[in-house]
Amino acid sequence: MDATFTAEQDEIRRTLRELLLKRCGPEEVRAAVRTAGGYDPGLWETLAQQLGLPGLALPEAYGGVGCTTTELALAAEEMGRALAPSPLLATAVLGAPLVLALGSASQRAALLPRIASGELTAALVVPGAALTTALGLTGGNRGDWAGGGRAGGVQARRADGGWRLYGQADQVLDGHSADLLVVAAHTGGFTGSRPLFFLVREGATRVRQTSLDETRSQSRIQLRHLDAELLGDEEGADVGSVLARVGDSAAAVLAAEAVGAADRVLERTVEYVKQREQFGRAIGSFQAVKHRLADLYVQVQGARSAAYYAAWATVEGRERVGGLALAQALEALRVCGSEAVQLHGGIGFTWEHEAHLYFKRAAGDELLFGPVHRLRAYAAEEARLFGGGEVAVR
């Protein structure tokens, strides 16, 4: 692994950081999450049309930039620093890769160029709290995570030469504002049931939910005998394997995003302890405070290394370590966020200060994609670390 970044990769980070410093400060973030869409459409247009973020990891044949998960992870790291609310995760990290992997030639040609340009946003609809299982991060995704029969979720049945969906999903990232819903649904009834993906453009009932992390909009999606288009071929690719690959790359991107957030909140805390005085001196001069900050720095750097390696491994087709990197990054963000609240003293508990936003990002992401102990437990299970046999080598 080459640990150095190319000039193009450094330029992506620099340009995006400069833009977000100008357009996405704490007040702008608060204003954006209170809009109907949950993000600033003007900033999204700039990110899409000037920087090409939605199409960063899409092939040039579909209007994308032709980069890899590594570049997308670097962009996510900068977005995480600012806690920038946007449809990037739902569209470019979860939705677009599924269309690229499972869609027919005509579906890819019709949808991916519009996604790459930012014209079309997408959301992955997975029932209940099964997103992390569907992505193969905390458990095998060969089960009935999509619902089926009496298990709830979303069911698909043939009708009038097409497909109709019935069901509900309660934790859909950016589902209320997405132009395209990529819906996981069970087909086949009680026997021979298996999940497939369907495209829904209109007709679904969407309700934006109140979430712990305001910068991560979630919605309830209700589908009532709604006409849908099958994504790809019914006898096509193995959905479970595709989802696991998407989940591994998504975990690497999410890990980088969490590292960016942890790094930024640590920077703000270091700045503050240099200014806040107690007993006639800056609290940052106390040895106990220095030790706490040094521990945080080491934890953030370790998480950053893990996130970069996970992104590289995804591109190179190596072992899947996205879940482990995500666990380390979420833990680093949670600890940095809680320490920031503590070391900021009274002001750290106030609604006006942004310290709580970083802590909520960590807690919210653990609810959606974790928790940390389950991410690690499943990685250990997959590697057979505690199974009494030899460690599996992939």
Side-chain angles (χ1 to χ4, degrees):
M1 175 183 175
D2 186 355
T4 60
F5 293 115
T6 65
E8 291 79 7
Q9 290 169 337
D10 285 333
E11 185 65 16
I12 290 172
R13 303 176 72 178
R14 185 192 63 80
T15 304
L16 188 52
R17 182 173 298 192
E18 289 179 356
L19 174 64
L20 293 176
L21 283 173
K22 294 177 182 177
R23 299 278 300 275
C24 201
E27 293 306 316
E28 287 81 3
V29 169
R30 288 188 173 91
V33 298
R34 285 166 174 75
T35 63
Y39 62 93
D40 180 1
L43 177 60
W44 175 246
E45 183 178 351
T46 301
L47 294 173
Q49 297 185 3
Q50 295 186 17
L51 301 183
L53 244 56
L56 197 60
L58 288 177
E60 294 182 28
Y62 297 113
V65 181
C67 291
T68 67
T69 303
T70 300
E71 286 76 19
L72 193 55
L74 293 176
E77 184 178 357
E78 297 304 320
M79 297 287 283
R81 285 179 60 87
L83 295 183
S86 80
L88 184 67
L89 174 61
T91 299
V93 181
L94 297 175
L98 286 173
V99 175
L100 180 63
L102 296 174
S104 64
S106 60
Q107 287 172 332
R108 292 196 298 266
L111 298 175
L112 292 179
R114 296 178 63 198
I115 289 177
S117 69
E119 175 189 352
L120 188 73
T121 58
L124 174 60
V125 180
V126 174
L131 179 60
T132 183
T133 303
L135 295 174
L137 297 177
T138 57
N141 61 3
R142 302 287 178 177
D144 59 354
W145 52 266
R150 296 180 180 178
V154 180
Q155 285 82 47
R157 65 180 180 86
R158 293 186 182 276
D160 301 327
W163 292 89
R164 285 185 182 170
L165 305 182
Y166 187 92
Q168 178 173 305
D170 296 316
Q171 293 178 310
V172 181
L173 290 173
D174 293 307
H176 66 289
S177 61
D179 303 306
L180 178 70
L181 300 179
V182 183
V183 184
H186 254 291
T187 63
F190 289 101
T191 60
S193 181
R194 65 191 183 96
L196 293 174
F197 280 96
F198 297 85
L199 303 177
V200 173
R201 294 175 175 81
E202 56 185 17
T205 301
R206 311 175 186 215
V207 180
R208 186 177 178 184
Q209 304 283 75
T210 300
S211 56
L212 175 64
D213 178 12
E214 288 184 303
T215 66
R216 225 35 123 208
S217 296
Q218 298 180 39
S219 306
R220 175 187 295 124
I221 304 296
Q222 294 178 332
L223 309 161
R224 297 292 183 260
H225 302 296
L226 197 63
D227 291 335
E229 175 187 351
L230 178 66
L231 179 62
D233 188 345
E234 189 174 353
E235 304 299 327
D238 182 354
V239 170
S241 296
V242 171
L243 270 173
R245 290 196 299 271
V246 171
D248 189 53
S249 61
V253 173
L254 282 163
E257 184 188 67
V259 165
D263 188 54
R264 180 56 182 156
V265 74
L266 177 57
E267 283 181 3
R268 292 297 306 271
T269 304
V270 171
E271 292 170 2
Y272 182 74
V273 299
K274 290 179 179 179
Q275 301 169 2
R276 179 187 171 196
E277 291 189 357
Q278 193 172 27
F279 306 113
R281 55 190 287 194
I283 64 170
S285 65
F286 296 131
Q287 195 71 11
V289 175
K290 290 180 179 180
H291 286 170
R292 290 169 71 175
L293 294 173
D295 288 341
L296 296 180
Y297 177 80
V298 171
Q299 195 162 3
V300 170
Q301 295 306 314
R304 175 176 281 117
S305 297
Y308 289 170
Y309 178 79
W312 173 82
T314 299
V315 176
E316 297 295 321
R318 301 294 183 95
E319 67 276 15
R320 293 176 182 173
V321 294
L324 275 176
L326 179 58
Q328 191 165 352
L330 289 180
E331 185 174 55
L333 177 54
R334 172 166 43 84
V335 174
C336 286
S338 61
E339 287 288 338
V341 171
Q342 290 290 326
L343 290 173
H344 274 81
I347 194 175
F349 290 86
T350 62
W351 186 260
E352 292 75 17
H353 200 274
E354 64 266 28
H356 70 94
L357 296 177
Y358 288 90
F359 182 79
K360 288 176 180 177
R361 169 61 66 88
D365 276 4
E366 277 207 62
L367 289 173
L368 280 170
F369 304 105
V372 166
H373 70 272
R374 288 187 60 195
L375 290 166
R376 287 178 172 152
Y378 183 62
E381 178 185 331
E382 284 291 280
R384 295 189 293 173
L385 289 183
F386 307 110
E390 294 182 0
V391 175
V393 179
R394 296 186 179 181

